[in-house]
Amino acid sequence: MEKLKSILNYTFNFTDGISISVKGLLLVITVIFLTSIFLNLFRRILTRRLPNDDKAKFKILFGYGKWIVYLVILLITFHGIGVNVTAVFAASAALLIGVGLALQTLFQDIIAGVLILIDQTIHVGDIIEIDGKIGRVDEVKLRTTRAVTIDNKVLIIPHHLYLTNSLYNWTQNGSTTRESVTVGVAYGTDVQLVKKILIQAADSHDLILKHPAPYVFFTNFGDSALEFKLVFTLNDSFKGAIPKSDLRFEIDKLFREHNISIPFPQRDIHIIQKPQ
């Protein structure tokens, strides 16, 4: 027993007055081992509901973060067993502050990417709109989202933009979305006929779903026209500009056939002459 105690109390002396005993070294190894078990368990809990591809991305990021945790735990354990690590703490703090300031945006991107992976805000194939830009998600990485616009241009979105802008996910509730086309007709036009023509135009288009059925709203008595909105449902809103354009062509054609005019903005000017 005495021999075991002497072995455990044997001290290794290093430069700058740093020394550590065998007992302290065993304690450090034990703490690192327990930390590793805890981190692996924590990672499994966070990723248990993620798809396999997202699990792989998260595992890579977690691997980098794990070494930072190990470093912090190691320094705290050394300090706890009496090893003089004040200088190491000071150097580490200064280094981390400098790196943090230099890579602030990068860290924001990565943190936002982790949150996206965890709460499943975006999936591949979703149609998203952010800062007025619309695209279909092609790939979600840790730092950026890659989306393709309707013009076949690649849109690279840094994840920190999700923290400062409103993100619209058009297809998170399903692939179908409601779209609309607005039109104005001259005062005195038969509004029931206008409604019938607009429904007819929507029903004749192959890309517009029959259920729910298209509907016409009489939205307002405008300054120069009676204003209507034709609301319809698409199964692929990413290409919604095409059926909208087709509908406008068809509405214009049907209006001409029924002598319905679309007025231009008008203003009445009254000139009052003062008597001389």
Side-chain angles (χ1 to χ4, degrees):
M1 182 64 68
E2 292 297 329
K3 187 176 181 179
L4 178 61
K5 286 183 179 180
S6 63
I7 293 174
L8 292 176
N9 292 325
Y10 181 79
T11 302
F12 298 97
N13 295 311
F14 302 95
T15 58
D16 298 330
I18 298 177
S19 61
I20 184 172
S21 64
V22 174
K23 180 170 60 178
L25 189 60
L26 291 175
L27 178 61
V28 170
I29 294 173
T30 303
V31 169
I32 294 298
F33 177 72
L34 293 176
T35 301
S36 178
I37 294 176
F38 173 78
L39 289 176
N40 288 331
L41 180 62
F42 182 65
R43 177 177 58 81
R44 290 178 182 176
I45 293 174
L46 285 180
T47 60
R48 67 182 185 275
R49 295 183 179 179
L50 295 180
N52 291 331
D53 291 342
D54 290 343
K55 284 182 180 180
K57 298 174 187 175
F58 191 87
K59 188 175 181 180
I60 294 173
L61 174 67
F62 200 82
Y64 292 117
K66 185 166 62 175
W67 292 109
I68 298 176
V69 174
Y70 283 153
L71 177 61
V72 174
I73 294 295
L74 190 63
L75 293 174
I76 293 174
T77 305
F78 278 154
H79 183 72
I81 61 178
V83 177
N84 184 15
V85 291
T86 304
V88 178
F89 269 120
S92 299
L95 177 63
L96 290 176
I97 291 174
V99 172
L101 292 175
L103 302 177
Q104 183 178 8
T105 303
L106 177 63
F107 289 156
Q108 287 180 346
D109 289 336
I110 293 176
I111 292 172
V114 172
L115 296 177
I116 289 172
L117 292 177
I118 292 175
D119 64 14
Q120 296 292 282
T121 304
I122 299 174
H123 299 84
V124 173
D126 286 352
I127 300 172
I128 61 173
E129 176 182 355
I130 184 170
D131 197 23
K133 300 178 179 64
I134 301 170
R136 191 191 298 274
V137 177
D138 183 64
E139 186 178 12
V140 181
K141 297 183 178 181
L142 285 174
R143 196 183 67 83
T144 60
T145 294
R146 182 179 181 272
V148 180
T149 67
I150 193 172
D151 301 321
N152 202 31
K153 298 176 181 177
V154 177
L155 182 64
I156 305 297
I157 306 172
H159 286 161
H160 76 270
L161 293 179
Y162 299 144
L163 303 177
T164 56
N165 294 272
S166 297
L167 171 68
Y168 298 93
N169 191 324
W170 290 11
T171 52
Q172 190 172 55
N173 290 333
S175 60
T176 60
T177 57
R178 284 192 176 275
E179 304 292 338
S180 64
V181 169
T182 58
V183 65
V185 300
Y187 275 89
T189 305
D190 185 349
V191 294
Q192 293 300 326
L193 177 59
V194 172
K195 178 180 179 180
K196 179 181 178 181
I197 290 175
L198 293 179
I199 294 294
Q200 177 184 340
D203 288 339
S204 65
H205 201 287
D206 295 336
L207 296 180
I208 295 177
L209 300 182
K210 308 304 179 185
H211 301 284
Y215 193 81
V216 175
F217 289 96
F218 189 163
T219 57
N220 198 14
F221 295 94
D223 293 336
S224 306
L226 304 174
E227 298 174 358
F228 295 85
K229 177 187 283 188
L230 173 61
V231 180
F232 51 92
T233 305
L234 294 177
N235 199 30
D236 187 1
S237 58
F238 187 60
K239 299 180 179 178
I242 297 175
K244 285 182 181 180
S245 176
D246 294 340
L247 278 179
R248 294 186 181 101
F249 278 115
E250 184 66 18
I251 290 171
D252 181 72
K253 173 188 172 185
L254 293 175
F255 276 6
R256 291 177 184 275
E257 292 176 357
H258 292 82
N259 296 319
I260 297 176
S261 62
I262 301 176
F264 52 85
Q266 303 176 28
R267 293 290 184 273
D268 293 331
I269 300 176
H270 300 274
I271 300 175
I272 302 175
Q273 293 182 343
K274 294 183 178 180
Q276 296 183 356

